[in-house]
Structures are given as C-alpha cells and as structure tokens.
Amino acid sequence: MKSYIHVLWHHDHSEEPVEIISEIVSGVETRKIEIYRDGRIGFADSNRAVGGSILSEGSMPSLTEINAQAECSGEGISEAAFTKLWSQYVEGE
C-alpha cells in the first residue's frame, strides 16, 4: 500500500530541511524530496541520493506520531500531488 506525506519541520537549523515530502510503500520510505529554507532541494530514491538526502531506514512513523512532535506538522497528500512535486523538483535534475 502506497501513501504520501508532506511534513513541515519548524526549526532554526539552516542545514536541515523545512519541508519533507515522502512516498511510503508498506511503511517504508521509497522516495523523498527535501526543501531547505534557502531554496536548496535534496532528494533520494532507491538509486540515488542528492543534496544530502537519504531515505529513512526502517519503518516510517505514522502521521499521528509525526504530528505529536511539537516541531512537525504533516498531512497526507495524493499520489498525483507527489508526482507533480517529484516532476518539478527531481525530473529536471
């Protein structure tokens, strides 16, 4: 089963992303886009890791668990929305 999430990470660390957009298959992250405050983009999939991004190891936490962290706010997004973002940020690389 596939799901897609968009998480805003509220923090002051310049070297960490402020947005994380993930494709999750059976609880495992398979593609990720990371957007940094200064406009940099990182991404990862099973074949590549660009801009410091790597796929999470093991099972991904649920949105409930993510949103329980004060510094995070996440929501589910559609496959179409993820595909559009992947095309925008990754396919052009």
Side-chain angles (χ1 to χ4, degrees), residues 49-64:
V50 175
S53 296
I54 59 171
L55 294 176
S56 298
E57 294 183 15
S59 294
M60 287 289 292
S62 69
L63 270 176
T64 301

Side-chain angles (χ1 to χ4, degrees), residues 1 18-20 32 34 38 42 44 46-47 49-50 54 59-61 64 67-68 72-73 75 80 87 92:
M1 179 173 154
V18 294
E19 292 184 61
I20 303 166
K32 172 192 280 184
E34 295 180 318
D38 65 5
S46 61
N47 298 315
V50 175
I54 59 171
S59 294
M60 287 289 292
T64 301
N67 287 327
C72 293
S73 55
E75 64 180 359
S87 294

Side-chain angles (χ1 to χ4, degrees), residues 5-8 22 24 60-75:
I5 61 172
H6 185 177
V7 177
L8 300 178
S22 300
I24 301 162
M60 287 289 292
S62 69
L63 270 176
T64 301
E65 293 169 310
I66 290 169
N67 287 327
Q69 300 174 50
E71 69 274 7
C72 293
S73 55
E75 64 180 359

